[in-house]
Amino acid sequence: MNGILNWVLWLPIIGAVAVLLAPKAKENVIRMITLVTTSVTLLLTVLLYLKFDTSTADMQFVTKIPWITQFHINYHLGIDGITMLMTFLNALLFFICTLSSWTVEKNVKAYFALLLMLQSTVFGVFFALDFFLFYVYWEVMLIPMFFLIGIWGGENREYAAIKFFLYTFFGGVFMLIGMVALYYATGKGPDSFSILALQGGKFVKETITLFGYTLSFEHVFFWFLFLGFAIKVPVFPFHTWLPHAHVQAPTAVSVILAGVLLKMGTYGFLRIAFPIFPQAAVDSSTIIAVLGLISVIYGAFCAMAQDDVKKLVAYSSVSHMGFVMLGLAAMTSQGMNGAVLQMFNHGTSTAMMFLLIGIIYERSHHRWIVKPDGSKGYGGLASQLPKYTTVFIIGMFASMGLPGLSGFISEALIFLGIYPRFTTITVIAVIGLLIGAAYLLWMFKRMFFGEPNPDNHDFDDMNAREVFYMIPLCICVVVFGIFPSPLLNVMKVSVGQLVDLLSKY
């Protein structure tokens, strides 16, 4: 079974090559190759889940092959409980996005090849246990995202793609400096790039001289890594690239961006920044909690101000990822488990919202709740599109954190975890939940109630394909809202190990 990670990682690349070899005119063949590839990849991740040992925090399905031997760089892969959830989420969303992209007509071959390449690079980020390999996948991921937004996006797609690329690349430069510093701090030894070997607080007493000042090595380079990961989350004030990228990106790319790519940032904290620099992480927890709180409140207020429904959901992602940062700042078992669970649950609920916006956009060719000239955009959709309205309600209430749906349990665990350490921040963060309920319900009222817009009279309800790819997400938000144990059982030992490490500092 050790080779299964290689199959999960490289199968999308094999699929991308097959897509590129297919005749350009055979668009349905290209679509089917992509669908088969993502389907088999999803089945392999289900097999991973079934074979996963939940009783240990050790890395499983490990592959380690020497790569650049003179610098002790290895092709080193493995997963633990945290990675397992992100792996399944990635496979599920790319399978769904393949189906949602069935109507793409512009340069079909390049689109699906880039989509499969993107899936492989995201898997690489989650699987990598070598810091150099992690960084390579982190940066290569920018290439397919840049072209998917820049070619298949909206009117301002070039601006959005360049802004996304520059922000993430800027953060990556700081991560690169941190990686180089760790390489020399370890004496350029055989474990200089091993993420697992670097963990455990080995650099607490190290110092570094910068601009004539002697500073703590751990604290300086924790913040270098923090900046690289915070931009991807995105944490306020590094969030400004996100609304542009979301609004301009095609539907499937928005789903991947919100559902998986934002989680790469918080995954970086869990896998690299916190375990390697635990003292600095604990010392910085108050700052992390405050930035998370600002993201929660600011993102919610910005969402409330939007008349573009896609931008509204984009800002809601800033707010919801702020809750993840609060859970990480708690550094308690409940808070950390809630943060990882929120990463998964936000991936499913926000994917629902972006897919639903894409469905209505295909019919209306706009995203306005209220148009810029003050006229009605959407309205009265409930009477026209009953199936669409039903699925929208499920996704909306899951995003809101309604008890019985997936968003509730993860947010509840975060609040339980952070309350003892940051009581005031916890109380203020509840305001973010109230504003979230307000903007979502207000959006729903304006879009679905009232008199139908005469321009929207000929909309068709969801077709069989659209219903089919929404069903797995509906199942996830309902089942894991009532019974989250299948997710919690997988990650609790790995999260517990990190909490134990942080508790020593």
Side-chain angles (χ1 to χ4, degrees):
M1 288 292 291
N2 284 359
I4 192 171
L5 286 191
N6 286 312
W7 279 107
V8 174
L9 177 61
W10 291 101
L11 189 59
I13 294 296
I14 295 170
V17 172
V19 165
L20 292 174
L21 292 176
K24 187 176 182 179
K26 302 285 186 179
E27 294 183 349
N28 280 332
V29 172
I30 291 169
R31 295 184 179 102
M32 285 305 301
I33 291 171
T34 310
L35 181 60
V36 169
T37 303
T38 53
S39 300
V40 174
T41 305
L42 178 57
L43 291 174
L44 287 174
T45 59
V46 172
L47 181 62
L48 271 178
Y49 176 86
L50 295 175
K51 296 289 185 180
F52 190 83
D53 183 358
T54 58
S55 65
T56 178
D58 295 338
M59 289 292 167
Q60 301 179 42
F61 311 107
V62 174
T63 296
K64 187 175 183 180
I65 302 170
W67 180 20
I68 307 174
T69 53
Q70 57 266 48
F71 296 108
H72 310 293
I73 297 170
N74 298 298
Y75 173 79
H76 193 187
L77 310 178
I79 63 170
D80 64 358
I82 299 168
T83 318
M84 184 68 251
L85 293 191
M86 296 299 99
T87 301
F88 175 70
L89 179 64
N90 189 40
L92 176 64
L93 292 187
F94 271 93
F95 167 73
I96 290 170
C97 286
T98 301
L99 289 170
S100 73
S101 302
W102 214 256
T103 54
V104 169
E105 296 180 352
K106 181 181 179 181
N107 206 339
V108 173
K109 176 188 281 196
Y111 177 87
F112 283 106
L114 287 168
L115 199 66
L116 289 170
M117 179 183 173
L118 179 61
Q119 183 180 31
S120 181
T121 56
V122 175
F123 277 133
V125 170
F126 291 140
F127 294 166
L129 297 179
D130 182 281
F131 205 161
F132 189 89
L133 184 67
F134 177 94
Y135 182 77
V136 168
Y137 276 117
W138 183 277
E139 293 297 293
V140 172
M141 174 274 304
L142 293 175
I143 298 171
M145 275 299 293
F146 176 79
F147 287 110
L148 285 167
I149 296 173
I151 296 175
W152 289 271
E155 292 180 1
N156 295 319
R157 56 187 178 270
E158 293 92 350
Y159 171 78
I162 291 170
K163 191 168 187 178
F164 163 78
F165 190 98
L166 288 177
Y167 264 73
T168 307
F169 189 76
F170 174 77
V173 169
F174 282 89
M175 194 193 310
L176 176 62
I177 296 171
M179 182 177 70
V180 171
L182 285 167
Y183 176 70
Y184 282 97
T186 55
K188 301 183 285 185
D191 292 326
S192 297
F193 289 106
S194 172
I195 292 173
L196 298 181
L198 292 169
Q199 294 175 0
K202 293 179 173 61
F203 309 98
V204 171
K205 297 180 181 179
E206 294 280 339
T207 58
I208 186 173
T209 302
L210 284 178
F211 306 111
Y213 295 95
T214 301
L215 304 170
S216 164
F217 177 91
E218 173 146 330
H219 285 76
V220 169
F221 290 107
F222 171 81
W223 283 102
F224 273 58
L225 295 181
F226 180 91
L227 188 60
F229 297 136
I231 289 172
K232 181 68 77 178
V233 172
V235 178
F236 178 91
F238 311 113
H239 66 284
T240 57
W241 63 268
L242 181 68
H244 295 286
H246 269 315
V247 169
Q248 298 303 321
T251 298
V253 179
S254 290
V255 171
I256 298 304
L257 181 57
V260 185
L261 264 61
L262 304 189
K263 314 308 182 295
M264 288 166 50
T266 47
Y267 179 80
F269 289 119
L270 292 162
R271 175 64 66 236
I272 296 177
F274 284 13
I276 294 178
F277 300 127
Q279 181 69 66
V282 172
D283 293 345
S284 306
S285 60
T286 301
I287 299 173
I288 296 170
V290 170
L291 290 175
L293 176 64
I294 294 171
S295 296
V296 167
I297 303 298
Y298 175 82
F301 273 121
C302 287
M304 180 168 276
Q306 303 308 315
D307 288 324
D308 182 330
V309 64
K310 198 173 187 183
K311 189 175 281 191
L312 183 151
V313 177
Y315 275 112
S316 78
S317 288
V318 175
S319 183
H320 286 123
M321 292 305 292
F323 284 113
V324 177
M325 296 304 295
L326 290 177
L328 296 181
M331 297 183 182
T332 59
S333 180
Q334 297 98 325
M336 287 280 200
N337 276 290
V340 178
L341 191 59
Q342 175 74 346
M343 287 162 64
F344 183 90
N345 290 338
H346 175 261
T348 53
S349 62
T350 200
M352 288 186 71
M353 297 302 294
F354 278 117
L355 288 167
L356 288 162
I357 293 165
I359 288 170
I360 199 66
Y361 179 78
E362 285 189 7
R363 290 150 173 78
S364 64
H365 304 293
H366 73 83
R367 296 181 301 267
W368 296 110
I369 303 171
V370 177
K371 293 181 179 179
D373 61 6
S375 61
K376 181 183 288 189
Y378 298 118
L381 293 179
S383 60
Q384 296 175 277
L385 311 173
K387 287 187 287 188
Y388 180 83
T389 304
T390 302
V391 178
F392 199 100
I393 288 171
I394 296 171
M396 179 187 68
F397 282 135
S399 295
M400 196 185 299
L402 190 75
L405 296 174
S406 59
F408 170 75
I409 186 65
S410 49
E411 289 172 357
L413 285 173
I414 289 169
F415 284 128
L416 286 171
I418 198 172
Y419 180 83
R421 290 199 64 195
F422 303 107
T423 306
T424 303
I425 287 176
T426 307
V427 173
I428 299 172
V430 173
I431 298 171
L433 288 180
L434 296 174
I435 302 168
Y439 67 69
L440 286 168
L441 290 171
W442 191 34
M443 169 195 69
F444 187 80
K445 172 182 176 291
R446 292 185 292 170
M447 288 179 63
F448 289 86
F449 295 153
E451 291 297 320
N453 186 338
D455 295 337
N456 303 341
H457 69 279
D458 58 347
F459 287 176
D460 295 324
D461 208 346
M462 292 173 68
N463 58 41
R465 175 180 58 86
E466 292 164 342
V467 171
F468 178 77
Y469 67 66
M470 294 302 299
I471 286 174
L473 295 174
C474 290
I475 291 172
C476 284
V477 301
V478 173
V479 170
F480 296 135
I482 299 170
F483 186 60
S485 294
L487 302 180
L488 290 170
N489 289 341
V490 167
M491 68 187 184
K492 66 181 180 181
V493 179
S494 298
V495 172
Q497 184 185 57
L498 178 57
V499 172
D500 289 342
L501 172 63
L502 294 171
S503 67
K504 298 174 184 177
Y505 295 91

